[in-house]
Amino acid sequence: MKISLNWLNEYLSKKISAEQAEEILTNVGLEVEGVEVFESIKGGLAGVVVGEVKEKSKHPDADRLSVTKVDIGSGELLQIVCGAPNVDAGQKVMVATVGTTLYPGGEKLEIKKSKIRGVESQGMICAEDEMGVGTSHDGIMILPADTKKGMQASHYFQVENDYSLELNITPNRCDATSHVGVARDVVAYQSLQDPTAKLSYPPTPTLKKETNELVELVVENVEACPRYSGIVVNHLKVGPSPQWLQNKLLAVGLRPINNVVDITNFVQFELGHPLHAFDLAKVDGGKIVVKNVPAQTPFITLDDIERKLNADDLMICSATKPMCIAGIFGGKESGVSGTTTSVFIESAYFNPVSIRKTAKSHGLHTDASFRFERGTDPNITITAVQRAAQLLVEIAGGKIASETLDVYPKKIENKTVTLSYTKVFSLLGIEIAKEKIKSILKAVGIEIEKEGSDELRLKIPAYKVDVTRDVDVIEEIIRIYGFNEIEIHPDLKAFFSGAGVKSHTVYRRKLTEQLIGNGFFEILTNSLLNSKYQEKLNGEVPPTTVHVLNPISSELDILRNDFIYSGLEVVAHNLNHKSTSIKIFEFGKTYRYADKTGESFRDHYTEQNILGVWECGNVNREMWYGKDESADFYHIKGVVETTLEMLKVPHRSPAQVKHLFYKNAFAVSGFKNEAAPLAVFGEVSSALLKIMDIKHPVYYAEFNWDLILQQIPANHPSFGQLPKYPSVRRDLALVLDKHIEYLSLKETSFKTEKQLLQEVNIFDVYEGKGIPEGKKSYALSFIFRDKNKTLTDADIDKCMQKLIDQFKNEFNAEIRS
């Protein structure tokens, strides 16, 4: 949203510069994204002055040129060659002196001292279009005889020099979508240093009804339109707006149309409340009805497009037909034109949800919908419409033809919030003087209804739509007080978590650091997903899918109920941009419809926290001293195992499972809940990769983060002395049936030798010459240690024999020499 600095300063007792505005507004949460110089006439007519033509003579070498002597009040006459047929001695004219830059038709024209057909010319006598003050090029612009020579053209034409500030207004700050709203925050900030800073509100209108035109208001859909106000103004003369009004609109990026429409836009940007003007002669039956119309009703909007209305679209209708899409866009047939003499000015409060749905449904995003869908002030409708009516009287010669009409069946009361000073200090981590807190609250419009020793009972104005809780009030306090005022202590402090503490944030941070340290990049993807993925893979969208009722795009029509798709989109994007090493992870949620009974909305839906890890291509960055290593099953398996080991989560060995997303999937379960796996991993199936348009193997691991957090042990870290006695390693080669897995051998080893066995590892797998068909050879290493003594060969031989006997009995193993 754009605001004008000059316009903003009209409401400030302490004026500010563009640099101050940028700093103050960004500090109070209204981020300034850009500052542009605005001139009502490009270049500001700098260097153009009023001159008097003292002499005129014919050019010696050109029939259509004249040589003039012009006095611009500098004490020296300028010789200027002029081609205008209407130039003559005694005229007051506009003179562009040497060095002036003009922009006729948007093209740059620099005035230089030159010779024209052999005669020196020291400037240019200007026509309207050359200065940008009109369109005529029939001749030079002749000024009234009493115009003072030497006067700057910028003063004569009241050229406005201003700054246009582009603000990033977040969806919760509808109170800041106007110059008065922004000024309120500026004054609140200024008052911390200067208590005399005040907000100057627009003057209160004093309306007098002079004629009488009856209009009946009927609101059928009170839920979508809780308040509808308006007033009739007649005897209007529709025409161009005065220059000051045009300049204000141009500075905020609006094109002036006519005085009636411009006034409604002016009030919208002044007070933040959209208005709409209906040509009263086009309101059939003198009746305005706010209602819904049947679906597929055709309606032509101001842009000459015929739109088919939805049954949920709120419409402003006459007695016979729709006239306007409420709060969004006017209709072609009821708009103000050059022949309009009477208007009904609408000022309403519409339900933000209704406006948002209709605007998105029709792809219409206007200045009015921008405000209404965020939530305007229901208690300002009368002020806004009376402000517009007063300006119509002053600017368009109108007369008030009705009382201010108002349909407001159920008043929207200001919210009440109780604020504790203790909570303010606790949440912010600093203590702010109580008097300063009260001063800030009053400055932003929050009324202190009752005051206690530690509590304030507050009345929140309706324009503060986002302030509903005490924490929202605290946010209001700190954004005015200044986040920069919160001191960051230079000392670094650390602490050890106590027993039983399971902080989602702590474990997530530790795991994030580990993954990043191993070359992974964290991603953040949209929770919305394209249902087409699931349709192509499953043949249908699962019944547990949560559909978006009014999606912003057909490609983002469901909440993701499977995490894998989001990361595969990122993989595909990177592959398409020639990235050959993709290692990414994300913490996020999946969403499912639970179909449970319950009164609460939440009873019908479930959310699950997930950690997803994707690998594709080289797992090591390209280095001159290293070798390329492609992602494979064992690498993603290592990620799963190191993750669970770092978190100290007890778990079983991976077991193969069937899963739609994988070629070969393995699941790792915990000991507390074997039915729900802690993690599932493997190579992504070819069918899914084809749907995602990925032509390279991808390996994916999905962790049930909620379940993992439940199974992280709550014990303190244990510390002990380093072993006094050495460990001993023995190797063993076994020939076994092909289907026997290493993990089975490892589990059997620890069950067989519980006292001395410390580690078991596999360092070779062999199939081929010398190994019978249907068999394979495993080479295992065993690490033994006794914490009380040095092991002898006899001790080790005894352990090894126990293991060999068990392998022979359980797996029919043969010892390979």
Side-chain angles (χ1 to χ4, degrees):
M1 185 192 82
K2 286 186 176 181
I3 65 166
S4 154
L5 180 63
N6 290 352
W7 195 351
L8 177 67
N9 272 323
E10 291 179 12
Y11 309 110
L12 303 177
S13 62
K14 305 292 182 182
K15 312 302 181 188
I16 57 176
S17 65
E19 293 77 13
Q20 290 172 322
E22 189 172 4
E23 179 184 355
I24 292 172
L25 295 178
T26 299
N27 283 342
V28 300
L30 302 176
E31 183 182 356
V32 178
E33 294 186 326
V35 179
E36 295 179 357
V37 174
F38 169 78
E39 296 165 323
S40 57
I41 298 175
K42 190 172 182 180
L45 296 180
V48 181
V49 297
V50 175
E52 182 179 359
V53 181
K54 292 293 187 181
E55 301 176 16
K56 172 197 168 186
S57 60
K58 189 174 178 297
H59 193 288
D61 198 26
D63 292 338
R64 297 187 178 182
L65 297 179
S66 301
V67 179
T68 63
K69 300 284 186 179
V70 184
D71 181 5
I72 62 171
S74 63
E76 183 179 339
L77 296 180
L78 299 180
Q79 179 173 281
I80 299 175
V81 177
C82 180
N86 62 332
V87 66
D88 208 348
Q91 294 173 339
K92 294 287 180 69
V93 294
M94 284 294 177
V95 178
T97 57
V98 173
T100 298
T101 300
L102 300 175
Y103 297 87
E107 299 292 329
K108 184 176 181 181
L109 173 63
E110 187 175 348
I111 308 301
K112 299 177 180 178
K113 183 185 288 188
S114 60
K115 283 190 176 182
I116 301 175
R117 303 291 289 269
V119 177
E120 185 179 81
S121 183
Q122 298 171 305
M124 183 177 79
I125 302 176
C126 302
E128 285 184 7
D129 64 333
E130 291 167 333
M131 294 183 289
V133 298
T135 58
S136 173
H137 194 70
D138 296 336
I140 60 169
M141 185 177 185
I142 300 172
L143 307 176
D146 59 352
T147 308
K148 185 179 179 182
K149 63 185 178 185
M151 178 189 291
Q152 297 293 322
S154 58
H155 180 70
Y156 182 86
F157 291 110
Q158 297 181 348
V159 175
E160 181 150 358
N161 296 300
D162 196 358
Y163 289 95
S164 177
L165 284 72
E166 182 75 41
L167 304 186
N168 179 12
I169 304 294
T170 52
N172 64 318
R173 290 301 310 280
C174 189
D175 63 301
T177 58
S178 67
H179 285 77
V180 168
V182 173
R184 186 187 296 114
D185 276 6
V186 173
V187 169
Y189 183 89
Q190 290 176 324
S191 63
L192 293 177
Q193 287 77 37
D194 185 353
T196 64
K198 301 296 179 185
L199 178 65
S200 301
Y201 282 98
T204 302
T206 53
L207 303 180
K208 181 182 178 182
K209 182 180 173 184
E210 297 183 74
T211 63
N212 190 43
E213 290 204 41
L214 296 177
V215 173
E216 182 184 357
L217 300 186
V218 178
V219 179
E220 292 186 4
N221 189 341
V222 177
E223 182 179 352
C225 179
R227 188 175 193 182
Y228 194 86
S229 311
I231 196 168
V232 177
V233 182
N234 62 13
H235 292 280
L236 293 168
K237 294 180 182 178
V238 177
S241 296
Q243 196 60 49
W244 67 265
L245 179 52
Q246 293 191 39
N247 288 344
K248 279 180 164 55
L249 298 181
L250 289 167
V252 296
L254 294 182
R255 177 177 61 88
I257 298 173
N258 59 54
N259 48 13
V260 176
V261 175
D262 292 351
I263 285 169
T264 62
N265 284 330
F266 170 83
V267 174
Q268 176 177 245
F269 274 80
E270 180 182 56
L271 299 176
H273 196 82
L275 305 174
H276 188 75
F278 297 96
D279 186 332
L280 196 59
K282 300 172 184 177
V283 179
D284 295 343
K287 185 176 183 180
I288 290 179
V289 185
V290 184
K291 65 178 183 178
N292 301 95
V293 297
Q296 297 302 304
T297 298
F299 181 68
I300 300 176
T301 45
L302 283 169
D303 54 3
D304 278 330
I305 295 176
E306 181 177 286
R307 305 175 191 275
K308 300 294 185 181
L309 300 175
N310 303 311
D312 292 335
D313 295 342
L314 187 67
M315 301 297 295
I316 312 300
C317 306
S318 68
T320 61
K321 60 188 177 183
M323 298 190 297
C324 174
I325 302 177
I328 300 172
F329 211 24
K332 182 180 179 181
E333 295 183 8
S334 63
V336 174
S337 66
T339 60
T340 299
T341 58
S342 297
V343 294
F344 174 79
I345 304 295
E346 167 196 279
S347 179
Y349 171 73
F350 298 114
N351 186 308
V353 175
S354 172
I355 298 298
R356 192 179 306 119
K357 289 174 66 176
T358 298
K360 288 184 177 179
S361 173
H362 293 288
L364 289 170
H365 301 285
T366 61
D367 286 325
S369 68
F370 174 81
R371 289 162 175 80
F372 279 128
E373 66 187 28
R374 281 163 168 76
T376 55
D377 183 359
N379 298 324
I380 202 177
T381 61
I382 298 296
T383 302
V385 77
Q386 290 184 347
R387 172 71 163 149
Q390 182 69 38
L391 290 170
L392 286 172
V393 171
E394 295 173 1
I395 294 172
K399 294 184 178 182
I400 305 301
S402 75
E403 303 295 340
T404 303
L405 308 173
D406 189 25
V407 178
Y408 197 10
K410 185 178 180 181
K411 185 177 179 182
I412 298 173
E413 301 291 345
N414 291 340
K415 299 177 288 291
T416 301
V417 172
T418 300
L419 179 69
S420 161
Y421 288 119
T422 302
K423 187 165 184 178
V424 174
F425 304 151
S426 172
L427 194 61
L428 298 181
I430 58 171
E431 287 200 15
I432 303 173
K434 293 181 180 180
E435 289 302 316
K436 184 161 286 190
I437 289 174
K438 290 188 285 185
S439 173
I440 291 172
L441 293 175
K442 291 175 183 177
V444 297
I446 296 176
E447 178 187 348
I448 299 174
E449 193 176 47
K450 186 178 180 181
E451 185 175 350
S453 59
D454 186 57
E455 285 188 348
L456 297 173
R457 191 166 72 192
L458 308 172
K459 271 285 182 69
I460 311 299
Y463 58 77
K464 291 281 183 187
V465 294
D466 66 317
V467 181
T468 59
R469 305 165 298 166
D470 56 354
V471 290
D472 301 324
V473 177
I474 294 172
E475 181 185 353
E476 289 288 291
I477 294 168
I478 192 57
R479 71 178 182 83
I480 300 299
Y481 182 76
F483 286 97
N484 293 335
E485 298 300 318
I486 299 178
E487 182 181 355
I488 300 176
H489 202 281
D491 295 339
L492 179 65
K493 293 182 172 62
F495 65 92
F496 291 99
S497 297
V501 175
K502 294 183 180 180
S503 168
H504 170 91
T505 305
V506 170
Y507 291 126
R508 174 173 170 169
R509 184 167 60 242
K510 288 173 64 177
L511 187 51
T512 296
E513 290 171 354
Q514 174 171 296
L515 288 168
I516 291 173
N518 283 289
F520 285 85
F521 289 89
E522 186 171 11
I523 63 172
L524 182 64
T525 61
N526 200 331
S527 296
L528 299 174
L529 198 65
N530 190 344
S531 62
K532 300 293 184 187
Y533 296 149
Q534 295 185 333
E535 286 181 8
K536 291 178 181 178
L537 187 65
N538 305 328
E540 63 177 0
V541 177
T544 57
T545 301
V546 180
H547 293 266
V548 180
L549 295 178
N550 193 23
I552 58 176
S553 165
S554 60
E555 295 181 353
L556 299 171
D557 58 338
I558 62 172
L559 284 171
R560 65 182 173 204
N561 53 5
D562 290 302
F563 207 67
I564 188 171
Y565 295 106
S566 301
L568 290 179
E569 287 181 329
V570 177
V571 170
H573 179 80
N574 279 269
L575 288 172
N576 290 337
H577 287 76
K578 309 301 181 185
S579 177
T580 58
S581 178
I582 302 170
K583 296 170 66 179
I584 55 177
F585 71 96
E586 179 180 14
F587 287 92
K589 289 184 177 183
T590 57
Y591 308 85
R592 287 184 172 85
Y593 178 65
D595 197 20
K596 297 177 182 177
T597 58
E599 296 181 0
S600 170
F601 174 83
R602 294 179 178 272
D603 291 334
H604 300 287
Y605 298 91
T606 60
E607 297 181 10
Q608 186 175 34
N609 287 293
I610 299 292
L611 165 63
V613 180
W614 296 261
E615 289 188 320
C616 179
N618 296 330
V619 294
N620 295 324
R621 291 187 181 180
E622 189 176 28
M623 296 288 184
W624 64 269
Y625 56 83
K627 295 181 180 179
D628 290 346
E629 182 183 350
S630 296
D632 59 17
F633 171 82
Y634 296 101
H635 199 275
I636 197 71
K637 173 176 175 285
V639 172
V640 173
E641 291 179 337
T642 54
T643 296
L644 296 176
E645 288 171 8
M646 189 274 285
L647 296 171
K648 310 295 184 188
V649 177
H651 61 278
R652 298 187 183 279
S653 300
Q656 192 165 8
V657 294
K658 288 186 177 181
H659 200 293
L660 184 64
F661 295 152
Y662 300 91
K663 284 185 178 179
N664 294 297
F666 283 78
V668 179
S669 300
F671 290 100
K672 294 182 179 179
N673 183 0
E674 295 186 39
L678 298 170
V680 179
F681 64 93
E683 183 180 353
V684 178
S685 72
S686 301
L688 182 51
L689 294 182
K690 184 177 180 180
I691 291 169
M692 307 302 295
D693 196 23
I694 296 174
K695 298 177 175 62
H696 299 268
V698 178
Y699 297 86
Y700 174 61
E702 182 169 303
F703 298 83
N704 185 332
W705 189 241
D706 290 327
L707 189 58
I708 287 173
L709 288 175
Q710 294 171 16
Q711 299 198 22
I712 295 175
N715 299 327
H716 285 293
S718 59
F719 301 93
Q721 291 183 343
L722 292 173
K724 291 182 179 180
Y725 301 101
S727 61
V728 179
R729 169 175 168 154
R730 289 288 177 90
D731 296 340
L732 181 64
L734 300 171
V735 178
L736 308 113
D737 292 337
K738 262 189 175 182
H739 70 274
I740 296 174
E741 298 177 346
Y742 157 69
L743 292 173
S744 301
L745 297 173
K746 183 177 180 180
E747 288 181 358
T748 297
S749 299
F750 282 110
K751 289 177 182 177
T752 303
E753 178 50 61
K754 300 177 180 178
Q755 298 291 329
L756 303 180
L757 184 61
Q758 303 285 303
E759 294 180 28
V760 180
N761 288 298
I762 183 170
F763 61 88
D764 187 44
V765 179
Y766 174 71
E767 296 179 52
K769 187 177 179 180
I771 303 297
E773 188 175 348
K775 301 281 187 176
K776 62 183 175 183
S777 172
Y778 278 143
L780 307 179
S781 66
F782 301 88
I783 306 295
F784 300 94
R785 189 199 306 273
D786 190 327
K787 63 180 180 180
N788 298 316
K789 66 175 185 176
T790 301
L791 293 172
T792 64
D793 286 342
D795 295 327
I796 304 302
D797 290 341
K798 183 179 178 182
C799 291
M800 289 301 296
Q801 191 58 51
K802 285 170 62 180
L803 292 171
I804 291 170
D805 292 342
Q806 188 62 33
F807 292 150
K808 286 180 177 180
N809 292 333
E810 190 172 338
F811 302 109
N812 197 26
E814 297 178 13
I815 307 303
R816 184 181 173 210
S817 57

